[in-house]
Amino acid sequence: MQPFTYVAIYFVVWWTVLFAVLPFGVRGQHEDGEFVQGTEPGAPVKAHLWQKVLATTVISAVVTVLLFWALSNPALQEYWS
């Protein structure tokens, strides 16, 4: 495969994992009891986005490596065909 293929697959995996990771650890204003006037009560108090981006990057790298390993493994290729 060409290098662009690896980058494209990693990009798709990264975004998929990001949407899976985003809800982890989020507490809404209604759960915390701290309402900011004019905002949605379910809006997060602290989103911790940088931590989630870092976690997404690490998890995506692991998933992508496992995916490429599975695609290149002769035993799995024989099983899938």
Side-chain angles (χ1 to χ4, degrees):
M1 281 192 256
Q2 296 178 354
F4 182 74
T5 304
Y6 293 115
V7 172
I9 291 174
Y10 179 78
F11 180 77
V12 170
V13 170
W14 193 91
W15 278 102
T16 304
V17 171
L18 176 67
F19 287 119
V21 168
L22 277 176
F24 294 161
V26 175
R27 294 187 47 84
Q29 292 180 19
H30 69 281
E31 296 170 330
D32 246 8
E34 300 176 13
F35 293 101
V36 177
Q37 196 67 9
T39 62
E40 172 66 31
V45 177
K46 291 184 181 177
H48 303 288
L49 288 179
W50 286 113
Q51 294 171 350
K52 291 179 183 187
V53 167
L54 180 61
T56 299
T57 302
V58 171
I59 293 169
S60 297
V62 170
V63 169
T64 304
V65 167
L66 288 174
L67 178 66
F68 285 128
W69 172 80
L71 291 174
S72 65
N73 188 333
L76 291 176
Q77 287 178 349
E78 184 178 320
Y79 174 75
W80 287 329
S81 54

